[in-house]
Amino acid sequence: MAGPIEQFQIKPLAEFGEVGGFQIAFTNSALFMLIATIGAGAYLFLSARGRTLIPDRWQSSSEILYEFVSTTLRDNTGEEGRRFFPLVFTLFMFILTANLLGMFPYAFTVTAHIIVTFGLAMTVFLTVTIYGFVRNGTKFFRLFMPSGVPLILAPIIVPIEIMSFLSRPVSHSVRLFAVMLAGHITLKVFAGFVVSLTGLGTLGVITAILPLAMTVGITALEFLMAVIQAYVFTMLTCMYLNDALHPSH
């Protein structure tokens, strides 16, 4: 039986040689990122194609997702943050689709790889940093000295705030990566128990009932976490974007 880690192995599907000592290949990870992107885009396009006054279930579901992200962004950044809606909504839909896609048998969970989640987190970090300086100039440094803090505490507070700001891409990416990785490993381990025990005869089949129940429960929990982690990543993105808009807040 394949080990619980093998499901995360990146395998080349098509190789295109080397460039600068690096192997260029189209991998299973790239394939499922492409599927997630096309799937999310196709869902939104097809569900909103009719745009009827009385929406059907598909249109209602896409409108709910749209309004959910829009409300989250507005509540955290104000009306000024609406300009970032395309970025935030794209991140939410990609992560949600990739998480749910990874729940299918033999599918590849791209969000269980730190390089993918770190790339998404760095996109947010660079957007916040560049836009923060373009919009606020040197006033963006107020982010590292919260209002109301006595000046005498600046030598302590400022380094802490700088380290906290620079560590955002790490914490932002590790949270999503760790949850998806741990959940899938746990699910594979309990499913492996079921397969192993059922091969031991009648007693094994009876004993396998408990890990089978755990497998079902963990599967349901994984679907829930797939949605929650997409929301958490989006929520943190909105909070970080608020710092670019209101660094002295």
Side-chain angles (χ1 to χ4, degrees):
M1 182 183 301
I5 301 298
E6 289 191 28
Q7 60 182 309
F8 306 111
Q9 184 178 358
I10 296 180
K11 301 176 182 179
L13 302 178
E15 298 184 358
F16 307 103
E18 292 188 4
V19 176
F22 293 94
Q23 182 68 38
I24 306 300
F26 184 75
T27 65
N28 52 349
S29 177
L31 173 62
F32 278 91
M33 282 191 281
L34 182 62
I35 293 174
T37 302
I38 295 176
Y43 160 72
L44 292 172
F45 175 77
L46 295 175
S47 62
R49 183 175 54 178
R51 292 190 295 245
T52 58
L53 184 61
I54 302 177
D56 56 15
R57 293 180 180 179
W58 286 103
Q59 184 178 338
S60 294
S61 62
S62 62
E63 289 180 356
I64 289 173
L65 293 175
Y66 180 96
E67 188 62 30
F68 171 75
V69 176
S70 178
T71 301
T72 302
L73 181 62
R74 185 173 58 252
D75 290 346
N76 285 276
T77 63
E79 290 298 329
E80 293 179 278
R82 294 283 299 172
R83 67 190 65 186
F84 293 107
F85 178 80
L87 170 64
V88 177
F89 189 66
T90 300
L91 289 172
F92 174 78
M93 289 302 301
F94 174 79
I95 294 173
L96 178 63
T97 306
N99 288 351
L100 294 176
L101 185 63
M103 293 301 300
F104 287 90
Y106 305 106
F108 187 86
T109 310
V110 297
T111 47
H113 278 264
I114 185 65
I115 187 61
V116 175
T117 59
F118 185 74
L120 298 176
M122 278 302 297
T123 300
V124 176
F125 179 78
L126 292 176
T127 301
V128 170
T129 304
I130 295 173
Y131 184 81
F133 277 111
V134 170
R135 174 186 170 87
N136 304 286
T138 56
K139 293 181 180 179
F140 184 67
F141 290 112
R142 293 179 181 177
L143 181 65
F144 307 123
M145 186 62 181
S147 58
V149 176
L151 189 60
I152 194 173
L153 296 178
I156 300 176
I157 298 299
V158 171
I160 293 176
E161 290 294 329
I162 292 176
M163 288 299 297
S164 176
F165 181 80
L166 295 178
S167 65
R168 283 181 177 181
V170 178
S171 61
H172 201 185
S173 59
V174 167
R175 184 178 291 102
L176 173 59
F177 148 76
V179 170
M180 301 309 298
L181 180 72
H184 280 62
I185 290 177
T186 305
L187 182 60
K188 183 63 179 290
V189 168
F190 278 97
F193 286 158
V194 176
V195 176
S196 299
L197 289 172
T198 52
L200 300 178
T202 304
L203 181 60
V205 173
I206 297 175
T207 310
I209 294 177
L210 180 58
L212 176 61
M214 289 295 296
T215 302
V216 174
I218 293 173
T219 301
L221 181 61
E222 276 290 275
F223 274 107
L224 178 62
M225 293 308 298
V227 177
I228 291 177
Q229 286 304 310
Y231 166 71
V232 170
F233 195 97
T234 303
M235 173 65 76
L236 290 174
T237 298
C238 295
M239 294 174 63
Y240 296 157
L241 289 172
N242 182 59
D243 291 338
L245 294 167
H246 313 102
S248 61
H249 179 65

PDB file of all heavy atoms in Angstrom, residues 60-86:
ATOM      1  N   SER A  60     -27.502  31.460  -7.991  1.00  0.00           N
ATOM      2  CA  SER A  60     -27.581  31.850  -6.580  1.00  0.00           C
ATOM      3  C   SER A  60     -26.294  31.512  -5.838  1.00  0.00           C
ATOM      4  O   SER A  60     -25.803  32.293  -5.016  1.00  0.00           O
ATOM      5  CB  SER A  60     -28.765  31.147  -5.907  1.00  0.00           C
ATOM      6  OG  SER A  60     -29.987  31.592  -6.451  1.00  0.00           O
ATOM      7  N   SER A  61     -25.735  30.330  -6.124  1.00  0.00           N
ATOM      8  CA  SER A  61     -24.512  29.916  -5.439  1.00  0.00           C
ATOM      9  C   SER A  61     -23.346  30.840  -5.786  1.00  0.00           C
ATOM     10  O   SER A  61     -22.564  31.222  -4.906  1.00  0.00           O
ATOM     11  CB  SER A  61     -24.164  28.475  -5.798  1.00  0.00           C
ATOM     12  OG  SER A  61     -23.902  28.339  -7.195  1.00  0.00           O
ATOM     13  N   SER A  62     -23.215  31.227  -7.062  1.00  0.00           N
ATOM     14  CA  SER A  62     -22.123  32.125  -7.448  1.00  0.00           C
ATOM     15  C   SER A  62     -22.342  33.520  -6.876  1.00  0.00           C
ATOM     16  O   SER A  62     -21.378  34.185  -6.467  1.00  0.00           O
ATOM     17  CB  SER A  62     -22.003  32.195  -8.978  1.00  0.00           C
ATOM     18  OG  SER A  62     -23.186  32.714  -9.557  1.00  0.00           O
ATOM     19  N   GLU A  63     -23.590  33.964  -6.798  1.00  0.00           N
ATOM     20  CA  GLU A  63     -23.877  35.269  -6.207  1.00  0.00           C
ATOM     21  C   GLU A  63     -23.585  35.275  -4.710  1.00  0.00           C
ATOM     22  O   GLU A  63     -23.123  36.281  -4.166  1.00  0.00           O
ATOM     23  CB  GLU A  63     -25.332  35.649  -6.458  1.00  0.00           C
ATOM     24  CG  GLU A  63     -25.632  36.008  -7.908  1.00  0.00           C
ATOM     25  CD  GLU A  63     -27.085  36.370  -8.128  1.00  0.00           C
ATOM     26  OE1 GLU A  63     -27.877  36.270  -7.158  1.00  0.00           O
ATOM     27  OE2 GLU A  63     -27.442  36.755  -9.260  1.00  0.00           O
ATOM     28  N   ILE A  64     -23.845  34.153  -4.051  1.00  0.00           N
ATOM     29  CA  ILE A  64     -23.544  34.053  -2.625  1.00  0.00           C
ATOM     30  C   ILE A  64     -22.041  34.162  -2.386  1.00  0.00           C
ATOM     31  O   ILE A  64     -21.584  34.864  -1.477  1.00  0.00           O
ATOM     32  CB  ILE A  64     -24.090  32.727  -2.053  1.00  0.00           C
ATOM     33  CG1 ILE A  64     -25.619  32.777  -1.983  1.00  0.00           C
ATOM     34  CG2 ILE A  64     -23.506  32.450  -0.662  1.00  0.00           C
ATOM     35  CD1 ILE A  64     -26.247  31.448  -1.596  1.00  0.00           C
ATOM     36  N   LEU A  65     -21.250  33.455  -3.198  1.00  0.00           N
ATOM     37  CA  LEU A  65     -19.798  33.529  -3.077  1.00  0.00           C
ATOM     38  C   LEU A  65     -19.293  34.938  -3.366  1.00  0.00           C
ATOM     39  O   LEU A  65     -18.426  35.459  -2.646  1.00  0.00           O
ATOM     40  CB  LEU A  65     -19.137  32.529  -4.037  1.00  0.00           C
ATOM     41  CG  LEU A  65     -19.351  31.045  -3.739  1.00  0.00           C
ATOM     42  CD1 LEU A  65     -18.752  30.192  -4.843  1.00  0.00           C
ATOM     43  CD2 LEU A  65     -18.752  30.666  -2.388  1.00  0.00           C
ATOM     44  N   TYR A  66     -19.842  35.561  -4.398  1.00  0.00           N
ATOM     45  CA  TYR A  66     -19.456  36.925  -4.750  1.00  0.00           C
ATOM     46  C   TYR A  66     -19.756  37.890  -3.600  1.00  0.00           C
ATOM     47  O   TYR A  66     -18.904  38.695  -3.198  1.00  0.00           O
ATOM     48  CB  TYR A  66     -20.204  37.353  -6.013  1.00  0.00           C
ATOM     49  CG  TYR A  66     -19.887  38.753  -6.495  1.00  0.00           C
ATOM     50  CD1 TYR A  66     -18.943  38.964  -7.478  1.00  0.00           C
ATOM     51  CD2 TYR A  66     -20.558  39.866  -5.961  1.00  0.00           C
ATOM     52  CE1 TYR A  66     -18.653  40.250  -7.933  1.00  0.00           C
ATOM     53  CE2 TYR A  66     -20.269  41.144  -6.394  1.00  0.00           C
ATOM     54  CZ  TYR A  66     -19.321  41.328  -7.381  1.00  0.00           C
ATOM     55  OH  TYR A  66     -19.037  42.598  -7.805  1.00  0.00           O
ATOM     56  N   GLU A  67     -20.976  37.812  -3.081  1.00  0.00           N
ATOM     57  CA  GLU A  67     -21.375  38.721  -2.009  1.00  0.00           C
ATOM     58  C   GLU A  67     -20.605  38.446  -0.723  1.00  0.00           C
ATOM     59  O   GLU A  67     -20.281  39.369   0.027  1.00  0.00           O
ATOM     60  CB  GLU A  67     -22.876  38.580  -1.763  1.00  0.00           C
ATOM     61  CG  GLU A  67     -23.434  39.612  -0.796  1.00  0.00           C
ATOM     62  CD  GLU A  67     -23.273  41.036  -1.303  1.00  0.00           C
ATOM     63  OE1 GLU A  67     -23.277  41.223  -2.542  1.00  0.00           O
ATOM     64  OE2 GLU A  67     -23.141  41.947  -0.468  1.00  0.00           O
ATOM     65  N   PHE A  68     -20.285  37.176  -0.479  1.00  0.00           N
ATOM     66  CA  PHE A  68     -19.536  36.817   0.716  1.00  0.00           C
ATOM     67  C   PHE A  68     -18.151  37.454   0.710  1.00  0.00           C
ATOM     68  O   PHE A  68     -17.730  38.066   1.697  1.00  0.00           O
ATOM     69  CB  PHE A  68     -19.413  35.295   0.805  1.00  0.00           C
ATOM     70  CG  PHE A  68     -18.475  34.812   1.874  1.00  0.00           C
ATOM     71  CD1 PHE A  68     -18.847  34.863   3.208  1.00  0.00           C
ATOM     72  CD2 PHE A  68     -17.231  34.303   1.546  1.00  0.00           C
ATOM     73  CE1 PHE A  68     -17.976  34.427   4.197  1.00  0.00           C
ATOM     74  CE2 PHE A  68     -16.365  33.861   2.527  1.00  0.00           C
ATOM     75  CZ  PHE A  68     -16.740  33.917   3.852  1.00  0.00           C
ATOM     76  N   VAL A  69     -17.437  37.315  -0.400  1.00  0.00           N
ATOM     77  CA  VAL A  69     -16.104  37.901  -0.495  1.00  0.00           C
ATOM     78  C   VAL A  69     -16.186  39.420  -0.487  1.00  0.00           C
ATOM     79  O   VAL A  69     -15.372  40.103   0.154  1.00  0.00           O
ATOM     80  CB  VAL A  69     -15.385  37.405  -1.764  1.00  0.00           C
ATOM     81  CG1 VAL A  69     -14.033  38.092  -1.928  1.00  0.00           C
ATOM     82  CG2 VAL A  69     -15.194  35.891  -1.714  1.00  0.00           C
ATOM     83  N   SER A  70     -17.181  39.979  -1.179  1.00  0.00           N
ATOM     84  CA  SER A  70     -17.345  41.425  -1.226  1.00  0.00           C
ATOM     85  C   SER A  70     -17.604  42.001   0.170  1.00  0.00           C
ATOM     86  O   SER A  70     -17.021  43.023   0.551  1.00  0.00           O
ATOM     87  CB  SER A  70     -18.512  41.783  -2.157  1.00  0.00           C
ATOM     88  OG  SER A  70     -18.733  43.180  -2.180  1.00  0.00           O
ATOM     89  N   THR A  71     -18.452  41.334   0.935  1.00  0.00           N
ATOM     90  CA  THR A  71     -18.751  41.799   2.289  1.00  0.00           C
ATOM     91  C   THR A  71     -17.534  41.690   3.193  1.00  0.00           C
ATOM     92  O   THR A  71     -17.251  42.596   3.992  1.00  0.00           O
ATOM     93  CB  THR A  71     -19.913  40.979   2.881  1.00  0.00           C
ATOM     94  OG1 THR A  71     -21.065  41.109   2.044  1.00  0.00           O
ATOM     95  CG2 THR A  71     -20.254  41.458   4.280  1.00  0.00           C
ATOM     96  N   THR A  72     -16.802  40.572   3.087  1.00  0.00           N
ATOM     97  CA  THR A  72     -15.599  40.383   3.892  1.00  0.00           C
ATOM     98  C   THR A  72     -14.578  41.470   3.599  1.00  0.00           C
ATOM     99  O   THR A  72     -13.961  42.034   4.516  1.00  0.00           O
ATOM    100  CB  THR A  72     -14.976  39.003   3.615  1.00  0.00           C
ATOM    101  OG1 THR A  72     -15.933  37.987   3.890  1.00  0.00           O
ATOM    102  CG2 THR A  72     -13.740  38.781   4.469  1.00  0.00           C
ATOM    103  N   LEU A  73     -14.390  41.792   2.321  1.00  0.00           N
ATOM    104  CA  LEU A  73     -13.432  42.823   1.936  1.00  0.00           C
ATOM    105  C   LEU A  73     -13.885  44.191   2.417  1.00  0.00           C
ATOM    106  O   LEU A  73     -13.082  44.963   2.960  1.00  0.00           O
ATOM    107  CB  LEU A  73     -13.266  42.817   0.413  1.00  0.00           C
ATOM    108  CG  LEU A  73     -12.284  43.825  -0.180  1.00  0.00           C
ATOM    109  CD1 LEU A  73     -10.878  43.569   0.332  1.00  0.00           C
ATOM    110  CD2 LEU A  73     -12.312  43.761  -1.710  1.00  0.00           C
ATOM    111  N   ARG A  74     -15.157  44.496   2.252  1.00  0.00           N
ATOM    112  CA  ARG A  74     -15.675  45.808   2.657  1.00  0.00           C
ATOM    113  C   ARG A  74     -15.618  45.982   4.173  1.00  0.00           C
ATOM    114  O   ARG A  74     -15.268  47.064   4.667  1.00  0.00           O
ATOM    115  CB  ARG A  74     -17.111  45.979   2.163  1.00  0.00           C
ATOM    116  CG  ARG A  74     -17.698  47.357   2.442  1.00  0.00           C
ATOM    117  CD  ARG A  74     -19.054  47.543   1.796  1.00  0.00           C
ATOM    118  NE  ARG A  74     -20.022  46.552   2.239  1.00  0.00           N
ATOM    119  CZ  ARG A  74     -20.476  45.556   1.488  1.00  0.00           C
ATOM    120  NH1 ARG A  74     -20.025  45.415   0.246  1.00  0.00           N
ATOM    121  NH2 ARG A  74     -21.356  44.699   1.948  1.00  0.00           N
ATOM    122  N   ASP A  75     -15.934  44.946   4.923  1.00  0.00           N
ATOM    123  CA  ASP A  75     -15.922  45.041   6.381  1.00  0.00           C
ATOM    124  C   ASP A  75     -14.514  45.252   6.935  1.00  0.00           C
ATOM    125  O   ASP A  75     -14.353  45.836   8.016  1.00  0.00           O
ATOM    126  CB  ASP A  75     -16.526  43.779   6.997  1.00  0.00           C
ATOM    127  CG  ASP A  75     -18.026  43.683   6.766  1.00  0.00           C
ATOM    128  OD1 ASP A  75     -18.629  44.702   6.368  1.00  0.00           O
ATOM    129  OD2 ASP A  75     -18.586  42.592   6.972  1.00  0.00           O
ATOM    130  N   ASN A  76     -13.506  44.759   6.235  1.00  0.00           N
ATOM    131  CA  ASN A  76     -12.137  44.838   6.739  1.00  0.00           C
ATOM    132  C   ASN A  76     -11.335  46.003   6.178  1.00  0.00           C
ATOM    133  O   ASN A  76     -10.378  46.446   6.816  1.00  0.00           O
ATOM    134  CB  ASN A  76     -11.390  43.536   6.426  1.00  0.00           C
ATOM    135  CG  ASN A  76     -11.805  42.389   7.326  1.00  0.00           C
ATOM    136  OD1 ASN A  76     -11.304  42.235   8.425  1.00  0.00           O
ATOM    137  ND2 ASN A  76     -12.737  41.575   6.847  1.00  0.00           N
ATOM    138  N   THR A  77     -11.713  46.497   5.007  1.00  0.00           N
ATOM    139  CA  THR A  77     -10.925  47.560   4.380  1.00  0.00           C
ATOM    140  C   THR A  77     -11.724  48.816   4.074  1.00  0.00           C
ATOM    141  O   THR A  77     -11.140  49.838   3.719  1.00  0.00           O
ATOM    142  CB  THR A  77     -10.305  47.057   3.052  1.00  0.00           C
ATOM    143  OG1 THR A  77     -11.358  46.727   2.139  1.00  0.00           O
ATOM    144  CG2 THR A  77      -9.438  45.828   3.285  1.00  0.00           C
ATOM    145  N   GLY A  78     -13.048  48.746   4.194  1.00  0.00           N
ATOM    146  CA  GLY A  78     -13.874  49.886   3.821  1.00  0.00           C
ATOM    147  C   GLY A  78     -14.110  49.927   2.319  1.00  0.00           C
ATOM    148  O   GLY A  78     -13.693  49.045   1.579  1.00  0.00           O
ATOM    149  N   GLU A  79     -14.765  50.972   1.867  1.00  0.00           N
ATOM    150  CA  GLU A  79     -15.083  51.095   0.448  1.00  0.00           C
ATOM    151  C   GLU A  79     -13.841  51.248  -0.417  1.00  0.00           C
ATOM    152  O   GLU A  79     -13.833  50.881  -1.594  1.00  0.00           O
ATOM    153  CB  GLU A  79     -16.022  52.282   0.225  1.00  0.00           C
ATOM    154  CG  GLU A  79     -17.430  52.072   0.753  1.00  0.00           C
ATOM    155  CD  GLU A  79     -18.136  50.911   0.063  1.00  0.00           C
ATOM    156  OE1 GLU A  79     -17.855  50.656  -1.124  1.00  0.00           O
ATOM    157  OE2 GLU A  79     -18.973  50.259   0.716  1.00  0.00           O
ATOM    158  N   GLU A  80     -12.768  51.799   0.166  1.00  0.00           N
ATOM    159  CA  GLU A  80     -11.533  51.967  -0.601  1.00  0.00           C
ATOM    160  C   GLU A  80     -10.943  50.623  -1.023  1.00  0.00           C
ATOM    161  O   GLU A  80     -10.229  50.537  -2.024  1.00  0.00           O
ATOM    162  CB  GLU A  80     -10.499  52.741   0.221  1.00  0.00           C
ATOM    163  CG  GLU A  80     -10.860  54.184   0.487  1.00  0.00           C
ATOM    164  CD  GLU A  80      -9.804  54.862   1.325  1.00  0.00           C
ATOM    165  OE1 GLU A  80      -9.848  54.702   2.562  1.00  0.00           O
ATOM    166  OE2 GLU A  80      -8.924  55.543   0.753  1.00  0.00           O
ATOM    167  N   GLY A  81     -11.227  49.605  -0.255  1.00  0.00           N
ATOM    168  CA  GLY A  81     -10.666  48.295  -0.551  1.00  0.00           C
ATOM    169  C   GLY A  81     -11.335  47.585  -1.710  1.00  0.00           C
ATOM    170  O   GLY A  81     -10.857  46.528  -2.144  1.00  0.00           O
ATOM    171  N   ARG A  82     -12.409  48.157  -2.244  1.00  0.00           N
ATOM    172  CA  ARG A  82     -13.132  47.517  -3.344  1.00  0.00           C
ATOM    173  C   ARG A  82     -12.253  47.340  -4.577  1.00  0.00           C
ATOM    174  O   ARG A  82     -12.485  46.438  -5.382  1.00  0.00           O
ATOM    175  CB  ARG A  82     -14.359  48.346  -3.716  1.00  0.00           C
ATOM    176  CG  ARG A  82     -15.438  48.407  -2.633  1.00  0.00           C
ATOM    177  CD  ARG A  82     -16.234  47.136  -2.579  1.00  0.00           C
ATOM    178  NE  ARG A  82     -16.922  46.869  -3.822  1.00  0.00           N
ATOM    179  CZ  ARG A  82     -17.563  45.746  -4.096  1.00  0.00           C
ATOM    180  NH1 ARG A  82     -17.564  44.770  -3.216  1.00  0.00           N
ATOM    181  NH2 ARG A  82     -18.180  45.575  -5.253  1.00  0.00           N
ATOM    182  N   ARG A  83     -11.234  48.168  -4.727  1.00  0.00           N
ATOM    183  CA  ARG A  83     -10.353  48.061  -5.897  1.00  0.00           C
ATOM    184  C   ARG A  83      -9.560  46.755  -5.888  1.00  0.00           C
ATOM    185  O   ARG A  83      -9.050  46.334  -6.929  1.00  0.00           O
ATOM    186  CB  ARG A  83      -9.398  49.247  -5.934  1.00  0.00           C
ATOM    187  CG  ARG A  83      -8.372  49.273  -4.802  1.00  0.00           C
ATOM    188  CD  ARG A  83      -7.628  50.585  -4.762  1.00  0.00           C
ATOM    189  NE  ARG A  83      -8.527  51.681  -4.445  1.00  0.00           N
ATOM    190  CZ  ARG A  83      -8.157  52.962  -4.453  1.00  0.00           C
ATOM    191  NH1 ARG A  83      -6.924  53.285  -4.820  1.00  0.00           N
ATOM    192  NH2 ARG A  83      -9.022  53.903  -4.140  1.00  0.00           N
ATOM    193  N   PHE A  84      -9.455  46.126  -4.717  1.00  0.00           N
ATOM    194  CA  PHE A  84      -8.718  44.866  -4.609  1.00  0.00           C
ATOM    195  C   PHE A  84      -9.635  43.645  -4.741  1.00  0.00           C
ATOM    196  O   PHE A  84      -9.165  42.514  -4.576  1.00  0.00           O
ATOM    197  CB  PHE A  84      -7.993  44.778  -3.260  1.00  0.00           C
ATOM    198  CG  PHE A  84      -6.891  45.782  -3.104  1.00  0.00           C
ATOM    199  CD1 PHE A  84      -7.046  46.876  -2.275  1.00  0.00           C
ATOM    200  CD2 PHE A  84      -5.704  45.630  -3.799  1.00  0.00           C
ATOM    201  CE1 PHE A  84      -6.035  47.801  -2.128  1.00  0.00           C
ATOM    202  CE2 PHE A  84      -4.689  46.551  -3.664  1.00  0.00           C
ATOM    203  CZ  PHE A  84      -4.844  47.645  -2.822  1.00  0.00           C
ATOM    204  N   PHE A  85     -10.906  43.873  -5.025  1.00  0.00           N
ATOM    205  CA  PHE A  85     -11.833  42.750  -5.093  1.00  0.00           C
ATOM    206  C   PHE A  85     -11.424  41.694  -6.117  1.00  0.00           C
ATOM    207  O   PHE A  85     -11.502  40.493  -5.815  1.00  0.00           O
ATOM    208  CB  PHE A  85     -13.256  43.241  -5.402  1.00  0.00           C
ATOM    209  CG  PHE A  85     -14.251  42.134  -5.528  1.00  0.00           C
ATOM    210  CD1 PHE A  85     -14.799  41.528  -4.401  1.00  0.00           C
ATOM    211  CD2 PHE A  85     -14.633  41.661  -6.775  1.00  0.00           C
ATOM    212  CE1 PHE A  85     -15.706  40.490  -4.512  1.00  0.00           C
ATOM    213  CE2 PHE A  85     -15.547  40.624  -6.901  1.00  0.00           C
ATOM    214  CZ  PHE A  85     -16.082  40.036  -5.765  1.00  0.00           C
ATOM    215  N   PRO A  86     -10.989  42.043  -7.335  1.00  0.00           N
ATOM    216  CA  PRO A  86     -10.583  40.997  -8.284  1.00  0.00           C
ATOM    217  C   PRO A  86      -9.487  40.100  -7.740  1.00  0.00           C
ATOM    218  O   PRO A  86      -9.522  38.873  -7.934  1.00  0.00           O
ATOM    219  CB  PRO A  86     -10.104  41.793  -9.507  1.00  0.00           C
ATOM    220  CG  PRO A  86     -10.854  43.083  -9.419  1.00  0.00           C
ATOM    221  CD  PRO A  86     -10.952  43.377  -7.956  1.00  0.00           C
TER     222      PRO A  86
END
